[in-house]
């Protein structure tokens, strides 16, 4: 009898436990387990076989602009929403409007970057939200390296727009259709580059893209690239204050040319890469080097003109002074024994002094002529260099080189 009562008591406890288990099954977690057991890992397929994916907003951020390889590295965080009618439930059975499900237990859409060389989509969290009407909401992060031929003609005053094309895995047949509602920029400053603004545009219903408007902050490139070239040419202009004779000016100009050459070798890895709109700053450095070399060559030629009075290196100058040694030899050998001999010796001395005076006058005339040419060249060089820098900076700032950024669409 006692054993029978114990068995009856155990039976009642088990019935109560089962009843309590049924009550627990109406909780959110039990609802989630019920939805997970459906195993709906395939895309919802309606009668027209096209599923609409709503992108509530995209938060765009430029991570870097690779001017050497002409790539735009971006990060996009998207809030997406889609519907799956088979995941809805009756709120009379489960009195909840939403529930959290693991991402890997239901189907989630895939968003791609059409013109991305590298594009990866990651889930922002391991869970997503499911509403009672079968609507799912989730957040994803897309990292993409876009092949964008940034217009670098105006570098370091460059500005351009790069498209980041967004699409689903398939926009035809049994695919998905993206409906993007809003795009905004999260951070506008990335090193030397700045994202001015972003805007959503489209070429057709299935071709949507984010147009990223970029501009370079010219302070750092101007200081490291343009300013040294301006200062070196300014130092070359001021070097005309040094005299032609003595060689100090020529040594200084040679030093400037070597310094500028070393400067270009150091900047070889810093300068942007080549493209259809090649950076004009490369041409600028080439012209500056031509200016420096030409100025050095003119200074060398004028130095010879000032000293030797001739620009033809293979020929000797006219009106050279007689050799002093010969005159001294004549003076030491000749013996004064008569007035005629004294007159001849005096005549030789006079001729020698006249030759020295003529040579001195000739050197003075050559030096004055060389100095006159030097001053003339200095003014031409200064005015031409100043006009060149003004024109070059105007071209860097104002000229617009056009690049076709939509070649990836055929």
């Amino acid at each position: 009898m006692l054993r029978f009562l114990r068995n009856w008591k155990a039976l009642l406890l088990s019935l109560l436990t089962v009843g309590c288990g049924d009550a627990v099954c109406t909780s959110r977690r039990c609802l989630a387990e019920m939805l997970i057991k459906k195993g709906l890992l395939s895309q919802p397929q309606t009668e027209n076989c096209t599923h609409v994916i709503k992108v509530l907003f995209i938060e765009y951020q430029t991570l870097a602009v690779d001017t050497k390889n002409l790539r735009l590295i971006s990060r996009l965080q998207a809030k997406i929403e889609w519907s799956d009618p088979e995941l809805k439930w009756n709120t009379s059975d489960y009195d909840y409007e939403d529930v959290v499900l693991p991402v890997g237990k239901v189907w989630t859409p895939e968003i791609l970057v059409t013109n991305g060389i590298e594009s990866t989509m990651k889930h922002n969290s391991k869970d997503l939200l499911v509403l009672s009407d079968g609507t799912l909401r989730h957040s994803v992060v897309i990292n993409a390296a876009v092949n964008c031929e940034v217009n670098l003609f105006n570098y370091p005053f460059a500005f351009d727009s790069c498209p980041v094309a967004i699409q689903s895995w398939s926009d035809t047949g049994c695919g998905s259709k993206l409906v993007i509602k809003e795009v905004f920029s999260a951070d506008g400053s990335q090193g030397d580059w700045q994202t001015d603004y972003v805007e959503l545009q489209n070429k057709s219903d299935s071709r949507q893209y984010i147009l990223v408007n970029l501009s370079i902050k010219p302070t750092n490139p101007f200081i490291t690239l343009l300013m040294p070239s301006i200062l070196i040419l300014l130092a070359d202009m001021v070097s005309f204050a040094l005299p032609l004779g003595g060689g100090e000016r020529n040594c200084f100009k040679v030093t400037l040319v070597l310094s500028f050459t070393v400067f270009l070798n150091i900047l070889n890895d810093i300068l942007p890469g080549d493209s259809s709109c090649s950076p004009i700053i490369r041409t600028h450095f080439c012209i500056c080097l031509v200016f420096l070399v030409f100025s050095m060559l003119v200074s060398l030629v004028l130095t010879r003109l000032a000293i030797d009075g001739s620009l033809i290196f293979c020929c000797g100058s006219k009106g050279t002074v007689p050799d002093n040694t010969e005159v001294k030899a004549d003076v030491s050998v000749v013996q004064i024994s008569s007035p005629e001999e004294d007159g001849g010796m005096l005549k030789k001395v006079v001729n020698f002094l006249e030759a020295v005076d003529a040579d001195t006058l000739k050197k003075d005339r050559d030096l004055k002529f060389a100095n006159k040419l030097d001053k003339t060249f200095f003014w031409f060089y200064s005015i031409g260099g100043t006009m060149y820098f003004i024109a070059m900076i105007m071209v860097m700032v104002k000229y617009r080189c056009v690049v076709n950024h939509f070649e990836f669409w055929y």
Side-chain angles (χ1 to χ4, degrees):
M1 186 67 180
L2 182 61
R3 182 179 295 178
F4 176 76
L5 291 174
R6 288 177 179 175
N7 292 336
W8 180 255
K9 186 177 180 180
L11 180 61
L12 289 175
L13 289 174
S14 63
L15 291 174
L16 290 173
T17 304
V18 172
C20 292
D22 292 339
V24 173
C25 281
T26 59
S27 67
R28 264 199 175 91
R29 190 165 190 179
C30 191
L31 172 60
E33 293 296 330
M34 183 269 293
L35 296 176
I36 290 173
K37 288 178 182 178
K38 290 186 177 182
L40 300 175
L41 297 176
S42 61
Q43 174 184 317
Q45 300 181 30
T46 57
E47 292 181 359
N48 61 3
C49 207
T50 301
H51 199 62
V52 177
I53 308 298
K54 297 179 182 179
V55 182
L56 303 180
F57 67 86
I58 294 179
E59 183 182 283
Y60 175 85
Q61 182 181 7
T62 300
L63 299 181
V65 180
D66 188 352
T67 56
K68 204 70 177 177
N69 300 312
L70 301 177
R71 293 183 181 180
L72 174 66
I73 303 172
S74 308
R75 180 183 182 272
L76 299 89
Q77 182 172 337
K79 184 77 171 181
I80 56 178
E81 180 181 289
W82 71 99
S83 63
D84 190 343
E86 298 183 47
L87 286 177
K88 65 171 58 176
W89 67 86
N90 194 342
T91 54
S92 61
D93 297 332
Y94 297 95
D95 191 18
Y96 304 108
E97 293 296 332
D98 48 27
V99 67
V100 176
L101 292 184
V103 171
K105 298 302 180 179
V106 294
W107 176 85
T108 54
E110 185 178 8
I111 301 177
L112 306 174
V113 177
T114 308
N115 57 335
I117 301 174
E118 298 175 358
S119 177
T120 57
M121 190 192 83
K122 297 182 180 179
H123 300 286
N124 201 25
S125 64
K126 296 181 179 180
D127 300 304
L128 52 77
L129 188 67
V130 183
L131 303 183
S132 60
D133 59 354
T135 301
L136 293 90
R137 292 175 182 170
H138 189 43
S139 180
V140 295
V141 176
I142 305 169
N143 292 303
V146 177
N147 186 15
C148 179
E149 192 173 341
V150 184
N151 177 17
L152 296 174
F153 179 86
N154 308 90
Y155 191 88
F157 305 100
F159 57 95
D160 202 3
S161 300
C162 285
V164 180
I166 306 295
Q167 69 174 48
S168 60
W169 70 273
S170 176
D171 52 13
T172 59
C174 291
S176 302
K177 180 181 179 182
L178 289 181
V179 179
I180 305 175
K181 294 186 176 182
E182 184 181 4
V183 176
F184 61 89
S185 178
D187 186 13
S189 179
Q190 306 80 28
D192 290 336
W193 288 86
Q194 179 174 342
T195 303
D196 297 327
Y197 62 94
V198 296
E199 55 184 343
L200 179 64
Q201 296 187 5
N202 60 76
K203 283 187 171 293
S204 64
D205 292 338
S206 59
R207 292 184 173 180
Q208 303 177 85
Y209 61 93
I210 301 172
L211 190 62
V212 184
N213 293 273
L214 301 167
S215 63
I216 194 170
K217 293 181 284 188
T219 305
N220 186 41
F222 181 82
I223 293 174
T224 57
L225 296 177
L226 277 182
M227 184 62 72
S229 64
I230 296 174
L231 294 178
I232 289 176
L233 255 72
L234 180 62
D236 188 50
M237 293 178 187
V238 176
S239 67
F240 282 92
L242 296 174
L244 281 174
E248 292 86 358
R249 182 199 289 188
N250 296 334
C251 292
F252 183 73
K253 286 183 176 292
V254 171
T255 303
L256 288 180
V257 173
L258 294 178
S259 300
F260 194 75
T261 305
V262 173
F263 170 71
L264 292 183
N265 290 332
I266 294 174
L267 292 180
N268 187 41
D269 295 332
I270 301 177
L271 293 176
D274 201 1
S275 64
S276 59
C277 291
S278 181
I280 197 174
I281 196 171
R282 293 182 181 274
T283 307
H284 163 70
F285 285 143
C286 180
I287 295 176
C288 287
L289 186 60
V290 171
F291 267 105
L292 292 173
V293 173
F294 183 68
S295 173
M296 179 188 68
L297 295 177
V298 170
S299 180
L300 292 173
V301 172
L302 291 179
T303 300
R304 177 176 176 84
L305 180 63
I307 295 175
D308 203 20
S310 175
L311 299 178
I312 304 176
F313 304 144
C314 61
C315 301
S317 59
K318 298 180 180 179
T320 57
V321 182
D323 193 353
N324 294 341
T325 305
E326 294 180 2
V327 176
K328 289 181 180 180
D330 276 346
V331 172
S332 61
V333 171
V334 175
Q335 296 181 357
I336 304 175
S337 58
S338 64
E340 291 80 6
E341 293 177 352
D342 292 342
M345 190 62 202
L346 182 60
K347 187 176 181 180
K348 288 183 179 181
V349 173
V350 170
N351 290 336
F352 175 77
L353 294 177
E354 288 178 351
V356 171
D357 291 340
D359 185 69
T360 303
L361 291 174
K362 182 179 180 301
K363 286 184 178 180
D364 290 340
R365 287 196 303 268
D366 293 339
L367 182 59
K368 289 180 180 179
F369 181 68
N371 285 329
K372 186 176 181 180
L373 291 179
D374 188 53
K375 291 179 180 178
T376 304
F377 178 75
F378 164 74
W379 286 111
F380 275 110
Y381 185 67
S382 301
I383 295 172
T386 304
M387 292 178 63
Y388 162 73
F389 272 107
I390 294 174
M392 179 58 69
I393 293 177
M394 290 294 292
V395 170
M396 286 182 178
V397 174
K398 297 294 184 181
Y399 184 79
R400 178 68 172 170
C401 184
V402 179
V403 180
N404 182 16
H405 295 299
F406 298 96
E407 292 181 350
F408 60 91
W409 270 329
Y410 49 86

